[in-house]
Amino acid sequence: MNQLEQLKQYTTVVADTGDFQAIQQYAPRDATTNPSLILKAVQKEEYKPLLEKAVRDNLDASTGEVIDQLLVAFGKQILRVIPGRVSTEIDAALSFNSAGSVAKGRELIKLYEKNGIDRERVLIKMASTWEGIRAAEILEKEGIHTNMTLLFSLPQAIACAEAGAKLISPFVGRIYDWYKKSTGIDYQGAEDPGVQSVKRIYNYYRKFGYNTEVMGASFRNTGQILELAGCDLLTISPDLLQQLADSSAPVERKLSADSGRNAAIGKISMDEPTFRFMLNEDAMATEKTAEGIRAFVADTGKLKQIISGMR
């Protein structure tokens, strides 16, 4: 078996792309998208018809509503080629607006259901801010499942689990980027700070019996992926999926329920003051969360400009 096939024995593989034509060859169970991936996809000739249709069919709608229609159109196409779930991200400008995030999550699920897609096949992606986590808590109670993204630290992960979020997406590569830039060290394997962060979160969840799924995300190389073999899910870009498929080197399981149960970790009681203080004390997590929100807002803005230019 190649490395991708071996990895699938231990971990659910998720495609990290809006390019649904590239998804099929790797046979992932789930797929994730974000504003940057959708922006990249709609600039390709093969996806322009989806964008044009979303604009044409919603001439009287706001630009934001057209984007919602476009996101659901991509999600619907992706769900035709995967057996599992698709993650659709709300506007990152709502990252500090709990009520707005809840309203947008409900709107997206309504659009999916209007298109004949069961809500169990959709995860609403939101930033792991305190406000985003509170929105997830409300949506989960309504049977709308959430994928908490832009997550860089244990306090964010604990708050998400206590809120009952379905899934979290800790960003391995962006953590690695920050530490590499800060220290000048090109971390490898188990020494990678991004890998260590996900292992710590995974072991904490297993130790204390949380049901929230852990999906490592934002990988820079296959070494990071292989160090997390056994994590609940891993969302991987097509180029890294191809590298795994091209290698037949052995894959060893690194994470399991036992690794969590045996971990020497103390339980942390997470309320809002504790969350905000712990996040503030973590310069990397604070900076990368803010940077990620700004980047997604900027890419949504570019998408809005493209749509406005077509109307």
Side-chain angles (χ1 to χ4, degrees):
M1 290 191 293
N2 62 41
Q3 286 191 316
L4 180 56
E5 290 166 337
Q6 293 178 69
L7 181 64
K8 287 179 179 179
Q9 292 181 306
Y10 311 125
T11 291
T12 296
V13 171
V14 179
D16 192 12
T17 178
D19 185 350
F20 49 81
Q21 294 181 9
I23 289 174
Q24 280 179 291
Q25 68 186 99
Y26 303 109
R29 191 194 75 180
D30 295 354
T32 58
T33 65
N34 63 44
S36 303
L37 293 173
I38 296 297
L39 176 66
K40 187 176 174 183
V42 297
Q43 294 178 77
K44 294 181 178 181
E45 282 301 320
E46 58 265 41
Y47 294 114
K48 280 190 178 172
L50 269 184
L51 176 60
E52 289 166 352
K53 187 176 189 306
V55 174
R56 187 174 62 248
D57 291 352
N58 298 279
L59 293 175
D60 297 326
S62 69
T63 306
E65 288 169 332
V66 174
I67 288 178
D68 289 348
Q69 294 284 351
L70 180 65
L71 294 176
V72 171
F74 265 90
K76 186 179 176 182
Q77 292 291 339
I78 289 168
L79 288 170
R80 286 179 175 169
V81 296
I82 61 169
R85 306 168 297 190
V86 67
S87 291
T88 296
E89 194 149 349
I90 69 169
D91 189 342
L94 295 169
S95 295
F96 303 101
N97 181 343
S98 293
S101 295
V102 169
K104 183 58 69 178
R106 289 169 178 159
E107 287 170 19
L108 287 169
I109 287 296
K110 269 186 190 174
L111 280 177
Y112 270 110
E113 291 180 335
K114 189 177 176 183
N115 280 271
I117 305 295
D118 190 283
R119 65 175 58 191
E120 291 298 320
R121 298 196 70 196
V122 181
L123 297 175
I124 300 298
K125 276 179 89 173
M126 298 184 291
S128 299
T129 56
W130 183 257
E131 293 81 5
I133 294 166
R134 298 282 64 79
E137 187 172 33
I138 294 167
L139 290 173
E140 289 287 351
K141 287 174 180 174
E142 298 177 5
I144 298 172
H145 296 310
T146 54
N147 172 351
M148 303 309 293
T149 188
L150 295 174
L151 192 150
F152 303 94
S153 66
L154 185 60
Q156 288 174 297
I158 294 171
C160 288
E162 291 187 347
K166 182 70 172 178
L167 181 148
I168 62 166
S169 298
F171 276 26
V172 177
R174 296 194 197 188
I175 295 174
Y176 161 84
D177 293 344
W178 191 92
Y179 280 100
K180 183 181 179 183
K181 183 178 179 182
S182 177
T183 66
I185 299 170
D186 185 9
Y187 298 92
Q188 300 293 323
E191 301 304 312
D192 188 309
V195 167
Q196 291 176 351
S197 178
V198 176
K199 284 183 176 178
R200 190 160 53 246
I201 290 166
Y202 177 91
N203 288 334
Y204 188 95
Y205 278 16
R206 298 293 85 78
K207 178 92 172 180
F208 299 109
Y210 290 109
N211 293 322
T212 298
E213 300 167 26
V214 180
M215 180 170 72
S218 167
F219 294 106
R220 299 293 178 257
N221 54 65
T222 57
Q224 294 172 334
I225 294 166
L226 297 174
E227 278 297 325
L228 294 173
C231 192
D232 299 328
L233 308 94
L234 297 173
T235 181
I236 307 169
S237 62
D239 59 326
L240 293 178
L241 287 170
Q242 187 60 53
Q243 288 180 39
L244 291 168
D246 289 341
S247 172
S248 57
V251 175
E252 178 189 346
R253 184 170 196 151
K254 299 296 179 85
L255 291 173
S256 67
D258 286 341
S259 69
R261 281 194 291 266
N262 298 327
I265 312 172
K267 201 165 195 301
I268 300 170
S269 179
M270 191 59 59
D271 56 14
E272 183 175 357
T274 304
F275 175 90
R276 294 198 184 279
F277 181 76
M278 289 184 72
L279 193 58
N280 184 73
E281 289 295 284
D282 188 333
M284 176 277 298
T286 298
E287 291 174 24
K288 297 308 282 187
T289 301
E291 177 186 276
I293 291 169
R294 286 195 298 268
F296 284 160
V297 168
D299 282 345
T300 299
K302 291 174 188 173
L303 191 53
K304 286 179 178 177
Q305 287 181 333
I306 292 171
I307 290 168
S308 296
M310 296 171 65
R311 306 181 85 176

